[in-house]
Amino acid sequence: MFAGTNMDKFSTRCAILACMLAAVPHAVASAAEETWPELSLGDLMKVGVESASRKSQSLSNTAAAAFVISAADIKRSGVLSIPEALRLAPGVEVAKLSNNKWAVSIRGFNGRMANKLLVLVDGRSIYNSLYGGVIWEVENMPLEEISRIEVIRGSAGLAWGSNAVNGVVNIITKRAQDTAGWLVDGHVGTSTGKAGGTLRYGSKMEDGSAFRVTLNEQRRDGGKEVGGKDAQDQFNDTSLSFRYDKPDGVDTRWLFSGRIFEAQSGDPWLIPTFDSAAYYNPAQYGAVRLYPFVSKKTGGDLLGRFEQSTDGGGEVRIQTYAEKFMGKVPGADDDRTTLDFDAQHRFPFGDAHDIVWGGNYRQSKHREILGSTGFLTSSQTDVTVSLASLFAQDEWTIVQHIFNMQAGVRIENQTYGGTTPQPSVRALWTPNEQHSFWFAWSKTVRSPSMVDRTMGAYPAALPATGPGTLPVLLYANAGEQSGFGNEKVRTLEAGHRAQWSPSFYSDLTAYVSHYDGVFGILPGSTMTANSAAAFTGLPVDPACTAAMANFGLAAGTPGLCQTLERGNILSVRTRGLELSTEWSPMSDWRLQINASRMWLDGGSDNTSVVYGNSPKYQGSVRSSYNFTPDRHFDLWLRRIGGLTTTSTIYGALGATPISARTELDLRFAEQVNESLELSLTLQNLLSRQQLQFYPDYMPSLPVVPQRTIYLKALWHGR
């Protein structure tokens, strides 16, 4: 449980929000707050997308599998977190590990730290160089501040570099000029909708500049274990953020933004043990003990950006940011400082060419302190990871408004991955205003994270099963022992977008990707003995003796340690289809249908893929209906395929594949007046009390997501 002081802080903040709302019931509504309009996908075809090629271009002119999640989509979906919002895009895999942890990926290899998806906030990478993924529980920004989320499925190494292997998610926040006045956003309910509040104030100056300051607090209850027992995975997050936008003349723009945060999340671990007296539900979890823990994560970031339009339609953009992060898990403490500098220049060349070139440098300094559990080991506790790259691309218009091509390459050097080129070639054919066809070939790399290279782990303790057998402790060695390097990916994609009628639109993508050197378990293993098992003839390893004692093996008891080597081993192929459609049967009714199908070939049952378990199919239907201009009803039905890959660290539970699931969310909303909207949201109504994913990177307690019902009030005014 959280300390009483945190409860007091939370109650005080909620009281402040309530008083603010009560004190200004007759305030004038803010007409300045500009939300991303409720556009159909056909209308969105004309809206600029920045993330595919690092320049604004309409979706219809984008030779990539791009999808835009608008602010209106996020609001009407009723979601409370960014991972939930990403379910709105086709092909994005989202699984809930607990009430404070998520697994999010695109086109396979999902996991808590999915390492083949690059996520940005206003162009700032939130990809964690320690784990090689996104720590979603600390990315808890107010959803009302998001202008749109651009989702690019497929390789994007030319535009964004290593780790943009299967896609890029760019979360773009609203300009300060569009958020003038007060905003109060509060909700209360059950489970993940327990309580939350946002208080924001923004102002515009006479010179056109504007700023906003936002206080955000979210609180969630713990979920349930399989079997119904309470799980201590509660969550509490507080953040304070600001944004300042300043135009400098007609052609120059400045942006400064920053945030500080503190997040506390329950994260009980199941640690291997040979001590039968310490077993926690051995029939379900096997030879493990429960290690209760509240993980604390604090930090902040500061970003600055300069943009200037140049003669002839060009642009210069320079951006830099600094980030500080301190996090605790049962196995280790991470203290990280990151500095990043990015610059690009776009200019036309002749009448047919549009060139973008630039570079990036990033440095992350890590200091690791290992915890007392002994689960994790590290060969290096102070590490500096650097990345430097240069890129150039040319978009060549061959036939005006009908056919163009884009080609380029990024040369990147990374501490653990060396120097690699990442080329890309794309083509777009638009025979008329209703149809467009595109094709792309790309080569991208996934560079090792610090955990991949320098950290090992003890994933399982296997007690003796009978006479003549000995207990065995499994150890997964650090990737540096095998020289683990870049994973290389080649992707071929093709797509078709069509506006079949004013009310029906479709977007279809097909792809095939070949992965070389995917992180996996190498053939063979090394077996050593503790001091009491010298009679086996195996090498006696003092480290094995100490490790087995640390995990509860009684003194004088013979035992063995099996070391598994991890490195570049697998050749994996994925193929898939992704479809998104929109139909408006009438002006007040909007239907969206998304579907995806993926085939993954990574060996027998894909069991050698260390991290990554993804459904073969996904589908969703969203219905948005306006009873009146002020009364809205939204329905969101989803079907997600089962997961076949099981877990080695959760005993009998982990040996059971996860079955397919169906989810249903409902939302009712009424605009009471120009300032106030009230809504009721019901999430996960068809829950069968089943797991969605086995925790993979860390041995967290598996938690069953619960149904959620919450009431929300959104007020804004001057």
Side-chain angles (χ1 to χ4, degrees), residues 34-44 47 68-77 147 582 584 587-590 592 622-626 628-634 667 669 671 677:
E34 177 184 282
T35 60
W36 192 260
E38 293 196 50
L39 300 177
S40 68
L41 284 173
D43 293 328
L44 283 172
V47 175
V68 176
I69 303 172
S70 70
D73 288 331
I74 295 172
K75 181 178 180 180
R76 296 200 59 160
S77 68
S147 172
E582 178 169 314
S584 297
S587 60
D588 293 324
W589 189 16
R590 180 186 182 193
Q592 289 180 308
R622 283 189 63 223
S623 171
S624 298
Y625 184 72
N626 297 340
T628 70
D630 296 327
R631 292 182 179 176
H632 304 158
F633 171 64
D634 295 272
R667 178 179 181 268
Q671 192 73 36
E677 180 190 70

Side-chain angles (χ1 to χ4, degrees), residues 169-182:
V169 171
N170 193 3
I171 302 163
I172 300 173
T173 61
K174 297 174 182 177
R175 301 182 310 156
Q177 285 89 342
D178 302 327
T179 55
W182 290 96

Side-chain angles (χ1 to χ4, degrees), residues 93 105-110 116 166 511 513 515 518 570-576 597-609 611-617 644-645:
E93 303 159 18
S105 185
I106 293 177
R107 297 182 179 177
F109 302 93
N110 203 8
K116 296 175 178 59
N166 288 350
Y511 67 89
S513 295
Y515 302 77
V518 173
L570 296 174
S571 178
V572 178
R573 183 180 69 163
T574 60
R575 297 166 291 145
R597 177 69 167 91
M598 185 186 70
W599 295 264
L600 186 148
D601 182 11
S604 177
D605 298 325
N606 304 317
T607 53
S608 296
V609 180
Y611 301 118
N613 198 357
S614 298
K616 292 182 179 179
Y617 66 87
T644 57
T645 303

Side-chain angles (χ1 to χ4, degrees), residues 662-717:
T662 302
E663 301 175 340
L664 175 64
D665 297 349
L666 302 176
R667 178 179 181 268
F668 306 86
E670 178 161 358
Q671 192 73 36
V672 179
N673 54 45
E674 292 182 338
S675 300
L676 178 64
E677 180 190 70
L678 299 177
S679 62
L680 171 67
T681 300
L682 301 89
Q683 296 179 320
N684 204 18
L685 291 180
L686 301 182
S687 171
R688 295 189 298 165
Q689 302 298 301
Q690 66 181 111
L691 293 174
Q692 295 186 7
F693 204 91
Y694 289 118
D696 53 346
Y697 238 90
M698 305 168 188
S700 299
L701 180 72
V703 176
V704 176
Q706 303 297 299
R707 296 184 184 92
T708 298
I709 301 175
Y710 72 89
L711 287 166
K712 180 177 180 178
L714 176 64
W715 176 89
H716 56 86

Side-chain angles (χ1 to χ4, degrees), residues 541-570:
D541 184 1
C544 176
T545 302
M548 297 198 80
N550 184 60
F551 285 98
L553 190 68
T557 302
L560 306 177
C561 295
Q562 183 177 6
T563 299
L564 307 174
E565 299 293 342
R566 301 178 297 171
N568 301 98
I569 176 176
L570 296 174

Side-chain angles (χ1 to χ4, degrees), residues 400-419:
Q400 189 73 25
H401 305 304
I402 295 178
F403 188 74
N404 63 49
M405 293 191 66
Q406 181 193 91
V409 65
R410 177 182 289 266
I411 307 296
E412 184 174 86
N413 179 271
Q414 201 253 18
T415 298
Y416 294 132
T419 302

